[in-house]
Amino acid sequence: MTDNKDKLQSFLDQHPQLEIFEVMLMDLCGGLRGKWVTRDKIRKVMAGRLKMPISTLAFDVWGRDAEEWVFDGGDGDGWCAPDIRTLVPTPWLERPTGQVLMSMNNVDGSPCSYDPRYLLQGLAERFARLGLTPVMASEMEFHLLHPEEDGVGRPVHTQQDRIGGVLGAGQTYGIDLMEGEAELMHDIRDACAVQGLPVDTLTKESAPSQYEINLYHVNDALLAADQAMMLQRVIRGVARKHGLVATFMAKPFGDIAGNGMHVHCSLVDSEGNNVFDDGTDKGTEMLRQAIAGCLDTMAESMLLFAPNLNSYRRFRRGTHAPLAPTWGYENRTVAVRVPTDRPAATRIEHRVAGADANPYLVMAAMLAGMLHGIENKLQAPEALEGNAYEQVPPSLPRYWPNALDCFAGSRHIPAYLGSDFQKVFTILKQQELDTFDSQVTALEYDACL
């Protein structure tokens, strides 16, 4: 915390205009929880003297307590541990504001066993004991929409035809369409520069109103997840400033492509060498062990890649959303792809998660799978060529209740992410599922009333 004090003072000296700080925890379901504190109180936060209920980490998507969990330990407070690396200005807000991310410690100072940042950090430390460091990056898809609704609750596209309807397709990689959103996109890029986010490329994606922004890889798994979360926040905030809504919902429209979050990962040794690189485009035995582990644990981890009811609407044939644990070289129909690149850049691209998933848990699930494969020296099946959808029948959980059952009964999850996490996440998702089960949809009335 002494180091925090010196860095904080330097930050305050560089940004004398900042009035308010958003101090934030990432909960298990991907929500940001925290407080606003004034400039004169930020020193207390950065010294680790801010307390919040530990149950703040265990809210469902509506911000409700996990009822079966919250009172077990008396619903006590914990100490918030700020990460000075995430202390940055928040440039899209009207009032001069800063932000910082925190993790949650128990009242005795030990890490909370189900804090998403600590879960990911713990897996990175397990790799470190093997002399390995994960190098990670994410690709984030999202839709830009108008804030108005169409009269029956559906969002309105920004990319419309001449009579106000949705276009038949989204002009994939269309330069003209990206130029049409140039002011907003440049504001996103400028905000990323202010927050130190290493944005790589911007792409117009295949669906109407859909875009993708990629982050450059970093050799720190926790930082990679922080950057993914912060990028989403930048995109939402800047879009709102421009009078638009940015959504990372997995499937905002049933008849067009949904939003994925692809995660890339390689491993480097203590000398910075990529242990997946054998000098050829095939990669090393360790690459195939890591892939085998990802495939072996994919079904049990599906709830982390697809955590919401809507998440499972992505998984349809022909939509680039994997339906089975498959892999291949330079093949976008598989779940785990090894992109063509220089041998020194050999890496795994995990293609299952939706952009609605918690990036800390997605990366933790990926690393847990890789670690499982490497530690147990698993053997990957033959790499698939051609259309994987036609060669391998669907076997991943296609529906939320199936994924929940698979996760709750997993032996892999507690071994790598802990039994406390498995229990509380299961409770949260069952609570959400019960809420959806209590609702009757308009489509049901239309069909049956």
Side-chain angles (χ1 to χ4, degrees):
M1 293 302 176
T2 301
D3 192 38
N4 275 8
K5 182 179 178 180
D6 294 339
K7 291 181 179 178
L8 172 62
Q9 189 57 56
S10 175
F11 179 85
L12 293 174
D13 291 343
Q14 293 174 40
H15 303 283
Q17 79 284 5
L18 297 184
E19 303 173 3
I20 297 292
F21 288 85
E22 300 171 305
V23 296
M24 304 179 294
L25 292 160
M26 171 65 80
D27 73 22
L28 289 175
C29 294
L32 283 171
R33 313 291 175 181
K35 299 182 178 182
W36 284 12
V37 301
T38 54
R39 184 182 179 95
D40 60 309
K41 298 296 191 298
I42 190 62
R43 287 183 173 85
K44 174 183 175 181
V45 174
M46 298 308 294
R49 299 201 309 272
L50 176 69
K51 292 176 74 176
M52 289 184 65
I54 294 179
S55 59
T56 304
L57 297 173
F59 289 155
D60 68 12
V61 292
W62 294 288
R64 305 177 304 182
D65 285 319
E67 293 183 4
E68 291 184 34
W69 177 267
V70 63
F71 297 125
D72 284 356
D75 196 19
D77 284 344
W79 295 104
C80 297
D83 189 338
I84 191 72
R85 300 179 305 175
T86 66
L87 180 64
V88 291
T90 313
W92 59 86
L93 294 178
E94 185 175 346
R95 297 291 290 269
T97 304
Q99 69 180 49
V100 67
L101 293 174
M102 305 180 295
S103 299
M104 178 66 80
N105 290 333
N106 297 310
V107 72
D108 63 2
S110 61
C112 176
S113 60
Y114 52 92
D115 181 287
R117 298 183 82 245
Y118 281 144
L119 290 175
L120 181 56
Q121 188 174 351
L123 285 161
E125 290 169 357
R126 288 181 67 164
F127 272 102
R129 291 195 286 273
L130 298 178
L132 300 171
T133 299
V135 179
M136 307 191 80
S138 59
E139 302 174 351
M140 203 70 66
E141 294 176 339
F142 61 98
H143 280 78
L144 281 177
L145 306 169
H146 289 295
E148 301 83 15
E149 296 177 351
D150 68 354
V152 292
R154 292 175 301 200
V156 177
H157 280 278
T158 50
Q159 192 180 347
Q160 298 177 336
D161 63 19
R162 293 180 181 273
I163 59 172
V166 62
L167 291 178
Q171 293 291 350
T172 311
Y173 299 126
I175 293 295
D176 290 343
L177 282 165
M178 289 193 290
E179 289 178 354
E181 296 290 353
E183 185 178 353
L184 183 151
M185 296 302 174
H186 284 307
D187 279 355
I188 289 174
R189 183 176 60 86
D190 291 343
C192 287
V194 169
Q195 295 200 335
L197 302 178
V199 173
D200 187 7
T201 57
L202 163 68
T203 304
K204 178 66 192 68
E205 270 295 336
S206 60
S209 311
Q210 188 185 37
Y211 299 83
E212 178 181 282
I213 296 181
N214 300 340
L215 287 161
Y216 198 68
H217 60 268
V218 292
N219 62 350
D220 182 324
L222 179 58
L223 181 59
D226 285 341
Q227 290 175 346
M229 186 281 296
M230 291 168 68
L231 174 61
Q232 287 187 331
R233 195 158 190 264
V234 166
I235 294 168
R236 285 194 186 101
V238 174
R240 188 166 55 246
K241 186 177 179 181
H242 283 256
L244 299 175
V245 173
T247 181
F248 299 90
M249 187 176 178
K251 195 77 169 179
F253 304 96
D255 55 348
I256 61 175
N259 292 316
M261 175 170 52
H262 298 165
V263 178
H264 293 246
C265 184
S266 60
L267 297 173
V268 297
D269 61 22
S270 58
E271 297 179 353
N273 300 309
N274 184 351
V275 298
F276 293 162
D277 172 19
D278 70 346
T280 75
D281 58 0
K282 295 301 181 185
T284 63
E285 182 66 18
M286 187 173 287
L287 168 68
R288 289 179 286 278
Q289 290 173 356
I291 290 170
C294 287
L295 302 184
D296 193 49
T297 59
M298 193 171 288
E300 296 170 68
S301 304
M302 194 68 177
L303 192 65
L304 305 180
F305 303 134
N308 304 306
L309 175 66
N310 178 260
S311 305
Y312 294 85
R313 300 193 186 280
R314 280 183 61 234
F315 298 99
R316 295 166 52 189
R317 289 183 181 274
T319 61
H320 287 114
L323 305 178
T326 55
W327 81 284
Y329 295 97
E330 200 52 71
N331 188 336
R332 286 185 169 86
T333 69
V334 296
V336 175
R337 169 180 173 244
V338 179
T340 298
D341 208 326
R342 297 172 295 108
T346 301
R347 62 193 183 275
I348 293 171
E349 179 191 16
H350 203 291
R351 300 174 56 81
V352 181
D356 61 331
N358 184 327
Y360 298 94
L361 300 185
V362 170
M363 293 187 187
M366 182 179 182
L367 291 184
M370 293 170 62
L371 196 60
H372 169 67
I374 292 169
E375 289 179 338
N376 294 286
K377 294 183 168 47
L378 301 184
Q379 296 299 309
E382 289 296 318
L384 291 181
E385 298 179 1
N387 188 348
Y389 298 110
E390 300 299 328
Q391 300 178 53
V392 180
S395 60
L396 291 174
R398 282 284 315 280
Y399 300 103
W400 202 20
N402 304 125
L404 179 56
D405 289 344
C406 198
F407 176 86
S410 170
R411 294 183 179 181
H412 163 74
I413 294 297
Y416 286 90
L417 296 172
S419 57
D420 282 349
F421 165 70
Q422 183 184 35
K423 181 177 180 181
V424 70
F425 199 66
T426 298
I427 290 170
L428 285 168
K429 291 302 161 181
Q430 184 64 58
Q431 181 170 290
E432 293 173 8
L433 176 57
D434 291 344
T435 301
F436 278 104
D437 281 346
S438 70
Q439 304 298 310
V440 179
T441 66
L443 189 61
E444 292 171 81
Y445 286 124
D446 185 52
C448 304
L449 185 63

